[in-house]
Amino acid sequence: MGTTVTSISRRTFNTSAAGAGLAGFAITGFPAIASAEPGARIVIIGGGPGGATVAVQLKQAAPDLQVTLIESRSVHPTCFYSNLYLGGFRSFASLIQTYDGLRALGIRVLSETATDVDTAKKQVKFANGRPVAYDRLVLSPGITLKYETIEGYSEEAAETMPHAWRAGPQTQLLKRQLAAMPNGGVVVISAPALPYRCPPAPYERACMIAHYLKTKKPKSKLILLDAKRSFTKQALFEDAFRTLYKDQVELALSNEIDDNTVVRVNPETREVVAKSDRKIVADVANIIPAQRAGDIAKVAGCTEGDWCPVAFDSFKSTKVTDVYVLGDAAIAPDMPKSAFSANSQAKLVAADILAEVAGKERFPARLRNTCWSMIAPDNSVKIGANYAPGDKDGKKQLVASGGFISQTNETAEVRRQNFQESEAWYDAITTEAFARAAPAPADEPERPKRRRRRG
Ligand SMILES: Cc1cc2nc3c(=O)[nH]c(=O)nc-3n(C[C@H](O)[C@H](O)[C@H](O)COP(=O)(O)OP(=O)(O)OC[C@H]3O[C@@H](n4cnc5c(N)ncnc54)[C@H](O)[C@@H]3O)c2cc1C
């Protein structure tokens, strides 16, 4: 105990850890430090962009920490960019991230589902009762879908009417259904009320599916039934629906007269019913229900209502000591629930743990988010801001600054750059979060063979 941190300057720590995160997509980590609690046991539940980033940042900075990642799945197909797979711009294989990089760093990766947390004994448990002890616990379990909010919907019904809101077989099912539907068929997307995972994603998905329909099944139609009156990047998406997908997309927002919240479905007939009593029999029904924090957060006693309150300067749970909650599961207004946010929050959590185990001063939290949405080939829009703890409306909040958003009148070149930026971001975040080896430099393009002159 009491080892001082000597090989890390305050400035480096501050900027690389809780700082802007992925700024310019440079892969930054913490310089290695000695730990004040050698062998401190850090257990992380959830190996998405939130949990995996925490594990990697900790182990890279303090190799003598015992870092354990508990993740149900053996690989992580990313939700981010899964809409591009639906649009035909990515393969499913390109979304799959492995934990090989984490294992190579010395992180213990357990491919199991945590079923219980005893916060008094500081133990995580599995279904067989086996305990894993922790000194600090990090929860990044993502979301649980509230199937029960839509009559007739269930995990089983999602096998016919996929949500595809957790990437994996559900996303592949939705893609297969789109491929199998007739030209002239109807796709319904139901978008829930806020808060939910990735606010712009239903609209990006609408663009990606509309692009597929326009190019492959032009007589088909997509109806987006929305529980909301307005949504993020609305002008940009509406512009795309109007100019690029006028014959494909009908956007049905809710208002006082027409509430287009989907309230009932029938998986046998694929009928979708809105509160307004509008009924649509869909060829493909993509039902995205309301959501809450992943179950284990509730089991651990970290929830208040559907989500987990946290201290904004550390993302420590305000309900349970020595437990952090981040990513989609946390309440972090006005940060959207996104992979970018989860990755940025993860660096703050890692910084806080490192400060604690090294007995060092904390530094002000600085967080960041950018969400790109692809609306057509070589055409992406974006929104983003920085966030820091502060007072807003008399309450402790995360206060946004430096916000930016794409404009409807941008040139094709700007949109193309946005798209390229988003591709670079996907590569950077997955390389960093999953400690993936950087992609090998592209092979030299093959030179065209010289044609022999005949004659
Ligand atoms: C269609 C779509 C498009 C999106 N596009 C973007 C985008 O372009 N940009 C962006 O930034 N974000 C995007 N997102 C949002 C992004 O995917 C999520 O915000 C992000 O994945 C949240 O990260 P997380 O670590 O909190 O949770 P997750 O990524 O869900 O990871 C949680 C992990 O925890 C595991 N887990 C849960 N409970 C347990 C348990 N008890 N035991 C063991 N393991 C457990 C799960 O298996 C899961 O792998 C998109 C989302 C969707 C649905």
Side-chain angles (χ1 to χ4, degrees), residues 45-51 70-73 76 79-83 99 112-114 140-143 164-165 197-198 201 204-205 296 326-329 337-340 342 370-372 425:
I45 302 180
I70 301 173
E71 167 56 53
S72 306
R73 297 185 287 183
H76 186 82
C79 267
F80 47 111
Y81 263 53
S82 63
N83 285 333
Y99 297 105
E112 285 176 83
T113 299
S140 189
I143 53 163
W165 222 240
R197 160 175 286 182
C198 200
E204 179 187 55
R205 179 170 288 178
I296 197 68
L326 74 146
D328 288 357
K337 296 184 185 301
S338 75
F340 199 123
T370 303
C371 278
W372 291 267
W425 168 76

Side-chain angles (χ1 to χ4, degrees), residues 101-357:
L102 277 75
R103 288 195 178 90
L105 283 175
I107 295 163
R108 187 162 68 129
V109 180
L110 303 178
S111 300
E112 285 176 83
T113 299
T115 52
D116 198 8
V117 180
D118 185 332
T119 52
K121 287 191 186 154
K122 291 186 151 187
Q123 289 178 341
V124 174
K125 290 193 180 147
F126 301 109
N128 63 9
R130 185 164 59 88
V132 176
Y134 67 81
D135 297 304
R136 307 285 187 291
L137 177 65
V138 178
L139 300 179
S140 189
I143 53 163
T144 291
L145 297 160
K146 292 171 74 176
Y147 295 106
E148 67 282 3
T149 55
I150 299 175
E151 194 187 326
Y153 203 44
S154 62
E155 200 168 346
E156 198 190 355
E159 292 305 312
T160 313
M161 305 172 110
H163 51 76
W165 222 240
R166 269 197 309 249
Q170 276 280 303
T171 327
Q172 291 173 297
L173 174 63
L174 179 55
K175 176 119 170 161
R176 279 199 305 278
Q177 290 188 347
L178 291 167
M181 71 177 260
N183 185 5
V186 174
V187 181
V188 170
I189 298 180
S190 80
L194 289 164
Y196 62 89
R197 160 175 286 182
C198 200
Y203 314 96
E204 179 187 55
R205 179 170 288 178
C207 288
M208 291 292 91
I209 294 179
H211 168 78
Y212 170 76
L213 298 179
K214 185 176 173 179
T215 51
K216 299 281 190 305
K217 298 178 179 176
K219 291 187 200 148
S220 308
K221 207 172 165 157
L222 185 158
I223 303 168
L224 203 163
L225 294 175
D226 203 326
K228 299 181 286 303
R229 287 164 177 239
S230 60
F231 57 92
T232 179
K233 295 190 247 187
Q234 184 165 349
L236 296 160
F237 283 115
E238 284 189 338
D239 185 54
F241 297 157
R242 206 172 34 244
T243 57
L244 300 169
Y245 306 120
K246 144 173 94 47
D247 298 330
Q248 281 75 42
V249 176
E250 177 197 334
L251 173 65
L253 293 171
S254 289
N255 56 41
E256 295 93 348
I257 303 152
D258 283 323
D259 187 335
N260 284 305
T261 308
V262 168
V263 289
R264 197 165 69 242
V265 294
N266 183 339
E268 270 159 38
T269 57
R270 285 211 177 105
E271 187 180 57
V272 180
V273 184
K275 208 169 191 173
S276 61
D277 214 31
R278 182 171 180 185
K279 297 185 174 81
I280 305 164
V281 175
D283 293 276
V284 176
N286 173 207
I287 306 300
I288 307 165
Q291 296 145 38
R292 58 184 168 82
D295 284 336
I296 197 68
K298 189 170 186 187
V299 171
C302 292
T303 50
E304 211 167 81
D306 284 341
W307 307 100
C308 303
V310 294
F312 298 130
D313 56 355
S314 62
F315 278 68
K316 266 189 182 136
S317 166
T318 54
K319 313 261 308 173
V320 184
T321 52
D322 292 328
V323 178
Y324 294 80
V325 187
L326 74 146
D328 288 357
I331 301 172
D334 297 319
M335 272 189 107
K337 296 184 185 301
S338 75
F340 199 123
S341 296
N343 172 267
S344 181
Q345 293 161 8
K347 290 174 187 171
L348 175 59
V349 167
D352 202 73
I353 293 172
L354 288 168
E356 272 193 9
V357 297

